[in-house]
mmCIF file of all heavy atoms in Angstrom:
data_model
loop_
_atom_site.group_PDB
_atom_site.id
_atom_site.type_symbol
_atom_site.label_atom_id
_atom_site.label_comp_id
_atom_site.label_asym_id
_atom_site.label_seq_id
_atom_site.Cartn_x
_atom_site.Cartn_y
_atom_site.Cartn_z
ATOM 1 N N VAL A 269 -0.410 5.717 18.090
ATOM 2 C CA VAL A 269 -0.942 4.337 18.084
ATOM 3 C C VAL A 269 -0.443 3.695 19.386
ATOM 4 O O VAL A 269 0.695 3.657 19.669
ATOM 5 C CB VAL A 269 -0.531 3.544 16.917
ATOM 6 C CG1 VAL A 269 -1.130 2.091 16.935
ATOM 7 C CG2 VAL A 269 -0.963 4.207 15.557
ATOM 8 N N LEU A 270 -1.427 3.175 20.131
ATOM 9 C CA LEU A 270 -1.105 2.480 21.394
ATOM 10 C C LEU A 270 -1.565 1.009 21.319
ATOM 11 O O LEU A 270 -2.456 0.634 20.555
ATOM 12 C CB LEU A 270 -1.844 3.165 22.545
ATOM 13 C CG LEU A 270 -1.634 4.651 22.753
ATOM 14 C CD1 LEU A 270 -2.522 5.268 23.735
ATOM 15 C CD2 LEU A 270 -0.190 4.957 23.098
ATOM 16 N N ASN A 271 -0.969 0.226 22.149
ATOM 17 C CA ASN A 271 -1.351 -1.249 22.266
ATOM 18 C C ASN A 271 -0.974 -1.983 20.978
ATOM 19 O O ASN A 271 -1.550 -3.052 20.741
ATOM 20 C CB ASN A 271 -2.841 -1.482 22.482
ATOM 21 C CG ASN A 271 -3.285 -0.887 23.800
ATOM 22 O OD1 ASN A 271 -2.485 -0.390 24.625
ATOM 23 N ND2 ASN A 271 -4.594 -0.845 24.024
ATOM 24 N N LEU A 272 -0.021 -1.596 20.204
ATOM 25 C CA LEU A 272 0.380 -2.355 19.009
ATOM 26 C C LEU A 272 1.312 -3.426 19.404
ATOM 27 O O LEU A 272 2.282 -3.253 20.099
ATOM 28 C CB LEU A 272 1.073 -1.340 18.061
ATOM 29 C CG LEU A 272 1.544 -1.861 16.684
ATOM 30 C CD1 LEU A 272 0.360 -2.526 15.928
ATOM 31 C CD2 LEU A 272 2.248 -0.833 15.941
ATOM 32 N N ASN A 273 1.012 -4.621 18.883
ATOM 33 C CA ASN A 273 1.791 -5.817 19.093
ATOM 34 C C ASN A 273 2.348 -6.261 17.750
ATOM 35 O O ASN A 273 1.586 -6.879 17.003
ATOM 36 C CB ASN A 273 0.990 -6.878 19.770
ATOM 37 C CG ASN A 273 1.849 -8.143 20.049
ATOM 38 O OD1 ASN A 273 2.963 -8.260 19.620
ATOM 39 N ND2 ASN A 273 1.202 -9.067 20.765
ATOM 40 N N LEU A 274 3.541 -5.944 17.410
ATOM 41 C CA LEU A 274 4.124 -6.377 16.079
ATOM 42 C C LEU A 274 4.452 -7.811 15.962
ATOM 43 O O LEU A 274 4.732 -8.331 14.882
ATOM 44 C CB LEU A 274 5.380 -5.479 15.829
ATOM 45 C CG LEU A 274 5.088 -4.001 15.683
ATOM 46 C CD1 LEU A 274 6.426 -3.245 15.454
ATOM 47 C CD2 LEU A 274 4.162 -3.745 14.536
ATOM 48 N N HIS A 275 4.349 -8.575 17.062
ATOM 49 C CA HIS A 275 4.597 -10.021 17.019
ATOM 50 C C HIS A 275 3.427 -10.764 16.296
ATOM 51 O O HIS A 275 3.604 -11.805 15.736
ATOM 52 C CB HIS A 275 4.808 -10.650 18.349
ATOM 53 C CG HIS A 275 6.026 -10.093 19.059
ATOM 54 N ND1 HIS A 275 7.345 -10.374 18.568
ATOM 55 C CD2 HIS A 275 6.194 -9.298 20.099
ATOM 56 C CE1 HIS A 275 8.184 -9.790 19.345
ATOM 57 N NE2 HIS A 275 7.586 -9.133 20.271
ATOM 58 N N ASN A 276 2.275 -10.144 16.342
ATOM 59 C CA ASN A 276 1.081 -10.711 15.611
ATOM 60 C C ASN A 276 0.670 -9.767 14.529
ATOM 61 O O ASN A 276 -0.472 -9.290 14.398
ATOM 62 C CB ASN A 276 -0.092 -10.808 16.705
ATOM 63 C CG ASN A 276 0.240 -11.817 17.720
ATOM 64 O OD1 ASN A 276 0.839 -12.836 17.470
ATOM 65 N ND2 ASN A 276 -0.063 -11.523 18.975
ATOM 66 N N TYR A 277 1.527 -9.507 13.675
ATOM 67 C CA TYR A 277 1.364 -8.530 12.613
ATOM 68 C C TYR A 277 0.208 -8.800 11.630
ATOM 69 O O TYR A 277 -0.403 -7.880 11.117
ATOM 70 C CB TYR A 277 2.670 -8.454 11.770
ATOM 71 C CG TYR A 277 2.840 -7.118 10.896
ATOM 72 C CD1 TYR A 277 2.948 -5.937 11.550
ATOM 73 C CD2 TYR A 277 2.696 -7.225 9.538
ATOM 74 C CE1 TYR A 277 2.997 -4.786 10.762
ATOM 75 C CE2 TYR A 277 2.837 -6.092 8.782
ATOM 76 C CZ TYR A 277 2.996 -4.856 9.345
ATOM 77 O OH TYR A 277 3.033 -3.735 8.624
ATOM 78 N N ASN A 278 -0.120 -10.050 11.437
ATOM 79 C CA ASN A 278 -1.217 -10.413 10.555
ATOM 80 C C ASN A 278 -2.544 -10.685 11.267
ATOM 81 O O ASN A 278 -3.533 -11.108 10.575
ATOM 82 C CB ASN A 278 -0.829 -11.606 9.633
ATOM 83 C CG ASN A 278 0.300 -11.227 8.665
ATOM 84 O OD1 ASN A 278 0.194 -10.210 8.025
ATOM 85 N ND2 ASN A 278 1.318 -12.026 8.604
ATOM 86 N N ASN A 279 -2.580 -10.579 12.581
ATOM 87 C CA ASN A 279 -3.785 -10.870 13.366
ATOM 88 C C ASN A 279 -4.524 -9.542 13.699
ATOM 89 O O ASN A 279 -3.882 -8.538 13.995
ATOM 90 C CB ASN A 279 -3.465 -11.637 14.632
ATOM 91 C CG ASN A 279 -2.910 -13.001 14.346
ATOM 92 O OD1 ASN A 279 -3.197 -13.600 13.305
ATOM 93 N ND2 ASN A 279 -2.066 -13.457 15.266
ATOM 94 N N VAL A 280 -5.843 -9.679 13.702
ATOM 95 C CA VAL A 280 -6.673 -8.477 14.128
ATOM 96 C C VAL A 280 -6.406 -8.233 15.659
ATOM 97 O O VAL A 280 -6.355 -9.129 16.397
ATOM 98 C CB VAL A 280 -8.183 -8.755 13.893
ATOM 99 C CG1 VAL A 280 -8.968 -7.649 14.462
ATOM 100 C CG2 VAL A 280 -8.422 -8.916 12.423
ATOM 101 N N GLN A 281 -6.208 -6.961 15.936
ATOM 102 C CA GLN A 281 -5.935 -6.530 17.350
ATOM 103 C C GLN A 281 -6.757 -5.322 17.662
ATOM 104 O O GLN A 281 -7.145 -4.623 16.797
ATOM 105 C CB GLN A 281 -4.406 -6.129 17.457
ATOM 106 C CG GLN A 281 -3.444 -7.216 17.208
ATOM 107 C CD GLN A 281 -2.029 -6.678 17.241
ATOM 108 O OE1 GLN A 281 -1.752 -5.761 17.962
ATOM 109 N NE2 GLN A 281 -1.129 -7.301 16.513
ATOM 110 N N LYS A 282 -7.053 -5.110 18.980
ATOM 111 C CA LYS A 282 -7.574 -3.907 19.429
ATOM 112 C C LYS A 282 -6.453 -2.817 19.583
ATOM 113 O O LYS A 282 -5.539 -3.067 20.341
ATOM 114 C CB LYS A 282 -8.252 -4.093 20.775
ATOM 115 C CG LYS A 282 -9.542 -4.778 20.746
ATOM 116 C CD LYS A 282 -10.170 -4.801 22.078
ATOM 117 C CE LYS A 282 -11.451 -5.606 22.085
ATOM 118 N NZ LYS A 282 -12.159 -5.606 23.348
ATOM 119 N N ILE A 283 -6.554 -1.818 18.781
ATOM 120 C CA ILE A 283 -5.521 -0.800 18.762
ATOM 121 C C ILE A 283 -6.108 0.479 19.160
ATOM 122 O O ILE A 283 -7.156 0.936 18.564
ATOM 123 C CB ILE A 283 -4.839 -0.686 17.368
ATOM 124 C CG1 ILE A 283 -4.180 -1.997 17.075
ATOM 125 C CG2 ILE A 283 -3.869 0.435 17.289
ATOM 126 C CD1 ILE A 283 -3.688 -2.124 15.586
ATOM 127 N N VAL A 284 -5.594 1.190 20.091
ATOM 128 C CA VAL A 284 -6.043 2.513 20.473
ATOM 129 C C VAL A 284 -5.329 3.549 19.597
ATOM 130 O O VAL A 284 -4.117 3.514 19.493
ATOM 131 C CB VAL A 284 -5.710 2.844 21.985
ATOM 132 C CG1 VAL A 284 -6.295 4.224 22.317
ATOM 133 C CG2 VAL A 284 -6.432 1.736 22.888
ATOM 134 N N ILE A 285 -6.190 4.427 19.034
ATOM 135 C CA ILE A 285 -5.556 5.481 18.115
ATOM 136 C C ILE A 285 -5.969 6.830 18.706
ATOM 137 O O ILE A 285 -7.059 7.038 19.099
ATOM 138 C CB ILE A 285 -5.990 5.266 16.740
ATOM 139 C CG1 ILE A 285 -5.197 6.170 15.823
ATOM 140 C CG2 ILE A 285 -7.456 5.463 16.567
ATOM 141 C CD1 ILE A 285 -5.263 5.796 14.350
ATOM 142 N N VAL A 286 -4.988 7.786 18.706
ATOM 143 C CA VAL A 286 -5.210 9.086 19.177
ATOM 144 C C VAL A 286 -4.797 10.051 18.070
ATOM 145 O O VAL A 286 -3.723 10.011 17.541
ATOM 146 C CB VAL A 286 -4.387 9.447 20.438
ATOM 147 C CG1 VAL A 286 -4.606 10.865 20.908
ATOM 148 C CG2 VAL A 286 -4.625 8.395 21.544
ATOM 149 N N ILE A 287 -5.813 10.865 17.652
ATOM 150 C CA ILE A 287 -5.544 11.808 16.546
ATOM 151 C C ILE A 287 -5.806 13.241 17.109
ATOM 152 O O ILE A 287 -6.969 13.641 17.221
ATOM 153 C CB ILE A 287 -6.457 11.569 15.322
ATOM 154 C CG1 ILE A 287 -6.201 10.072 14.924
ATOM 155 C CG2 ILE A 287 -6.099 12.506 14.201
ATOM 156 C CD1 ILE A 287 -7.257 9.651 13.810
ATOM 157 N N PRO A 288 -4.742 14.067 17.383
ATOM 158 C CA PRO A 288 -4.946 15.400 17.863
ATOM 159 C C PRO A 288 -5.369 16.319 16.790
ATOM 160 O O PRO A 288 -5.008 16.186 15.616
ATOM 161 C CB PRO A 288 -3.577 15.759 18.428
ATOM 162 C CG PRO A 288 -2.590 14.825 17.736
ATOM 163 C CD PRO A 288 -3.370 13.609 17.292
ATOM 164 N N GLY A 289 -6.240 17.252 17.147
ATOM 165 C CA GLY A 289 -6.656 18.354 16.247
ATOM 166 C C GLY A 289 -7.447 17.920 15.063
ATOM 167 O O GLY A 289 -7.334 18.470 13.987
ATOM 168 N N GLU A 290 -8.332 16.916 15.256
ATOM 169 C CA GLU A 290 -9.147 16.417 14.175
ATOM 170 C C GLU A 290 -10.649 16.643 14.425
ATOM 171 O O GLU A 290 -11.081 16.474 15.560
ATOM 172 C CB GLU A 290 -8.847 14.904 13.830
ATOM 173 C CG GLU A 290 -9.502 14.387 12.648
ATOM 174 C CD GLU A 290 -9.259 15.184 11.413
ATOM 175 O OE1 GLU A 290 -8.118 15.596 11.135
ATOM 176 O OE2 GLU A 290 -10.272 15.350 10.630
ATOM 177 N N GLU A 291 -11.395 16.821 13.351
ATOM 178 C CA GLU A 291 -12.801 17.013 13.430
ATOM 179 C C GLU A 291 -13.468 15.635 13.264
ATOM 180 O O GLU A 291 -13.125 14.863 12.429
ATOM 181 C CB GLU A 291 -13.255 17.957 12.328
ATOM 182 C CG GLU A 291 -14.541 18.633 12.559
ATOM 183 C CD GLU A 291 -15.678 17.875 11.734
ATOM 184 O OE1 GLU A 291 -15.372 17.163 10.781
ATOM 185 O OE2 GLU A 291 -16.820 17.890 12.274
ATOM 186 N N GLU A 292 -14.466 15.320 14.124
ATOM 187 C CA GLU A 292 -15.046 14.036 14.110
ATOM 188 C C GLU A 292 -15.700 13.620 12.818
ATOM 189 O O GLU A 292 -15.537 12.539 12.344
ATOM 190 C CB GLU A 292 -16.141 13.926 15.222
ATOM 191 C CG GLU A 292 -15.631 13.620 16.548
ATOM 192 C CD GLU A 292 -16.822 13.332 17.533
ATOM 193 O OE1 GLU A 292 -17.893 13.731 17.324
ATOM 194 O OE2 GLU A 292 -16.533 12.745 18.542
ATOM 195 N N ASN A 293 -16.427 14.526 12.180
ATOM 196 C CA ASN A 293 -17.116 14.185 10.888
ATOM 197 C C ASN A 293 -16.186 13.769 9.841
ATOM 198 O O ASN A 293 -16.459 12.759 9.091
ATOM 199 C CB ASN A 293 -17.963 15.390 10.455
ATOM 200 C CG ASN A 293 -19.232 15.542 11.390
ATOM 201 O OD1 ASN A 293 -19.687 14.606 11.991
ATOM 202 N ND2 ASN A 293 -19.671 16.769 11.431
ATOM 203 N N SER A 294 -15.039 14.425 9.707
ATOM 204 C CA SER A 294 -14.114 14.032 8.631
ATOM 205 C C SER A 294 -13.391 12.705 8.988
ATOM 206 O O SER A 294 -13.184 11.947 8.098
ATOM 207 C CB SER A 294 -13.048 15.126 8.415
ATOM 208 O OG SER A 294 -12.188 15.285 9.588
ATOM 209 N N TYR A 295 -13.254 12.447 10.318
ATOM 210 C CA TYR A 295 -12.660 11.133 10.714
ATOM 211 C C TYR A 295 -13.642 9.979 10.316
ATOM 212 O O TYR A 295 -13.216 8.979 9.739
ATOM 213 C CB TYR A 295 -12.387 11.179 12.201
ATOM 214 C CG TYR A 295 -12.011 9.815 12.820
ATOM 215 C CD1 TYR A 295 -10.800 9.238 12.439
ATOM 216 C CD2 TYR A 295 -12.821 9.153 13.637
ATOM 217 C CE1 TYR A 295 -10.408 7.973 12.928
ATOM 218 C CE2 TYR A 295 -12.481 7.876 14.116
ATOM 219 C CZ TYR A 295 -11.245 7.306 13.819
ATOM 220 O OH TYR A 295 -10.836 6.144 14.349
ATOM 221 N N TYR A 296 -14.899 10.177 10.640
ATOM 222 C CA TYR A 296 -15.874 9.079 10.388
ATOM 223 C C TYR A 296 -16.056 8.920 8.859
ATOM 224 O O TYR A 296 -16.271 7.844 8.317
ATOM 225 C CB TYR A 296 -17.238 9.347 11.014
ATOM 226 C CG TYR A 296 -17.124 9.212 12.550
ATOM 227 C CD1 TYR A 296 -17.497 10.282 13.404
ATOM 228 C CD2 TYR A 296 -16.592 8.111 13.157
ATOM 229 C CE1 TYR A 296 -17.326 10.148 14.783
ATOM 230 C CE2 TYR A 296 -16.433 7.972 14.557
ATOM 231 C CZ TYR A 296 -16.858 9.031 15.329
ATOM 232 O OH TYR A 296 -16.676 8.885 16.694
ATOM 233 N N ASP A 297 -16.077 10.041 8.107
ATOM 234 C CA ASP A 297 -16.111 9.934 6.641
ATOM 235 C C ASP A 297 -14.878 9.172 6.109
ATOM 236 O O ASP A 297 -15.043 8.342 5.201
ATOM 237 C CB ASP A 297 -16.172 11.328 6.056
ATOM 238 C CG ASP A 297 -17.493 11.977 6.141
ATOM 239 O OD1 ASP A 297 -18.553 11.331 6.494
ATOM 240 O OD2 ASP A 297 -17.599 13.225 6.004
ATOM 241 N N PHE A 298 -13.686 9.432 6.664
ATOM 242 C CA PHE A 298 -12.542 8.785 6.288
ATOM 243 C C PHE A 298 -12.658 7.233 6.516
ATOM 244 O O PHE A 298 -12.321 6.426 5.610
ATOM 245 C CB PHE A 298 -11.337 9.304 7.049
ATOM 246 C CG PHE A 298 -10.088 8.457 6.935
ATOM 247 C CD1 PHE A 298 -9.293 8.525 5.697
ATOM 248 C CD2 PHE A 298 -9.712 7.611 7.895
ATOM 249 C CE1 PHE A 298 -8.116 7.796 5.650
ATOM 250 C CE2 PHE A 298 -8.510 6.827 7.781
ATOM 251 C CZ PHE A 298 -7.780 6.951 6.646
ATOM 252 N N LEU A 299 -13.203 6.882 7.664
ATOM 253 C CA LEU A 299 -13.396 5.468 7.996
ATOM 254 C C LEU A 299 -14.325 4.787 6.962
ATOM 255 O O LEU A 299 -14.052 3.679 6.541
ATOM 256 C CB LEU A 299 -13.926 5.277 9.450
ATOM 257 C CG LEU A 299 -12.971 5.657 10.561
ATOM 258 C CD1 LEU A 299 -13.744 5.429 11.931
ATOM 259 C CD2 LEU A 299 -11.726 4.894 10.536
ATOM 260 N N LEU A 300 -15.382 5.452 6.651
ATOM 261 C CA LEU A 300 -16.329 4.893 5.630
ATOM 262 C C LEU A 300 -15.692 4.744 4.293
ATOM 263 O O LEU A 300 -15.863 3.762 3.669
ATOM 264 C CB LEU A 300 -17.534 5.896 5.510
ATOM 265 C CG LEU A 300 -18.704 5.638 6.473
ATOM 266 C CD1 LEU A 300 -19.768 6.736 6.239
ATOM 267 C CD2 LEU A 300 -19.294 4.274 6.274
ATOM 268 N N GLU A 301 -14.990 5.793 3.879
ATOM 269 C CA GLU A 301 -14.380 5.773 2.550
ATOM 270 C C GLU A 301 -13.326 4.649 2.379
ATOM 271 O O GLU A 301 -13.093 4.114 1.282
ATOM 272 C CB GLU A 301 -13.702 7.098 2.231
ATOM 273 C CG GLU A 301 -14.716 8.216 2.001
ATOM 274 C CD GLU A 301 -14.039 9.580 1.941
ATOM 275 O OE1 GLU A 301 -12.766 9.655 2.040
ATOM 276 O OE2 GLU A 301 -14.785 10.611 1.911
ATOM 277 N N HIS A 302 -12.760 4.219 3.487
ATOM 278 C CA HIS A 302 -11.672 3.206 3.464
ATOM 279 C C HIS A 302 -12.225 1.890 3.937
ATOM 280 O O HIS A 302 -11.370 0.962 4.241
ATOM 281 C CB HIS A 302 -10.428 3.638 4.219
ATOM 282 C CG HIS A 302 -9.752 4.798 3.479
ATOM 283 N ND1 HIS A 302 -10.127 6.074 3.587
ATOM 284 C CD2 HIS A 302 -8.744 4.773 2.559
ATOM 285 C CE1 HIS A 302 -9.326 6.818 2.842
ATOM 286 N NE2 HIS A 302 -8.512 6.012 2.138
ATOM 287 N N CYS A 303 -13.545 1.772 4.099
ATOM 288 C CA CYS A 303 -14.149 0.509 4.506
ATOM 289 C C CYS A 303 -13.635 -0.104 5.795
ATOM 290 O O CYS A 303 -13.547 -1.306 5.983
ATOM 291 C CB CYS A 303 -14.028 -0.536 3.406
ATOM 292 S SG CYS A 303 -14.656 0.041 1.823
ATOM 293 N N ILE A 304 -13.369 0.801 6.780
ATOM 294 C CA ILE A 304 -12.874 0.348 8.034
ATOM 295 C C ILE A 304 -13.763 0.957 9.167
ATOM 296 O O ILE A 304 -13.418 0.779 10.318
ATOM 297 C CB ILE A 304 -11.350 0.656 8.366
ATOM 298 C CG1 ILE A 304 -11.054 2.147 8.121
ATOM 299 C CG2 ILE A 304 -10.499 -0.178 7.468
ATOM 300 C CD1 ILE A 304 -9.668 2.550 8.442
ATOM 301 N N ALA A 305 -14.876 1.498 8.811
ATOM 302 C CA ALA A 305 -15.779 2.136 9.823
ATOM 303 C C ALA A 305 -16.293 1.081 10.859
ATOM 304 O O ALA A 305 -16.283 1.422 12.061
ATOM 305 C CB ALA A 305 -16.939 2.785 9.189
ATOM 306 N N MET A 306 -16.604 -0.136 10.432
ATOM 307 C CA MET A 306 -17.076 -1.099 11.358
ATOM 308 C C MET A 306 -16.084 -1.699 12.264
ATOM 309 O O MET A 306 -16.324 -2.462 13.180
ATOM 310 C CB MET A 306 -17.847 -2.195 10.606
ATOM 311 C CG MET A 306 -19.058 -1.705 9.813
ATOM 312 S SD MET A 306 -20.223 -0.819 10.879
ATOM 313 C CE MET A 306 -20.895 -2.099 11.913
ATOM 314 N N SER A 307 -14.805 -1.284 12.069
ATOM 315 C CA SER A 307 -13.759 -1.687 13.003
ATOM 316 C C SER A 307 -13.605 -0.692 14.147
ATOM 317 O O SER A 307 -12.803 -0.977 15.056
ATOM 318 C CB SER A 307 -12.365 -1.853 12.256
ATOM 319 O OG SER A 307 -11.903 -0.569 11.864
ATOM 320 N N SER A 308 -14.365 0.376 14.082
ATOM 321 C CA SER A 308 -14.229 1.420 15.073
ATOM 322 C C SER A 308 -15.231 1.315 16.192
ATOM 323 O O SER A 308 -16.481 1.251 15.913
ATOM 324 C CB SER A 308 -14.410 2.833 14.396
ATOM 325 O OG SER A 308 -14.642 3.807 15.279
#
């Protein structure tokens, strides 16, 4: 996780995430299942 600012813990932030060795389809399915797809 990059660009994380813990001083604004309750505020929405742009966070860069890097996940090595992952398949795209399962990642997007995960986002949908957890209702966070539209944050991507």
Side-chain angles (χ1 to χ4, degrees):
V269 178
L270 306 171
N271 298 354
L272 181 59
N273 181 353
L274 294 177
H275 296 292
N276 295 320
Y277 197 68
N278 291 314
N279 295 332
V280 173
Q281 300 176 27
K282 284 185 182 180
I283 298 170
V284 178
I285 189 160
V286 180
I287 306 171
E290 184 56 39
E291 200 264 333
E292 277 189 340
N293 290 332
S294 66
Y295 172 68
Y296 293 125
D297 286 344
F298 169 79
L299 293 179
L300 272 176
E301 290 169 5
H302 290 86
C303 302
I304 55 176
M306 296 308 291
S307 69
S308 164

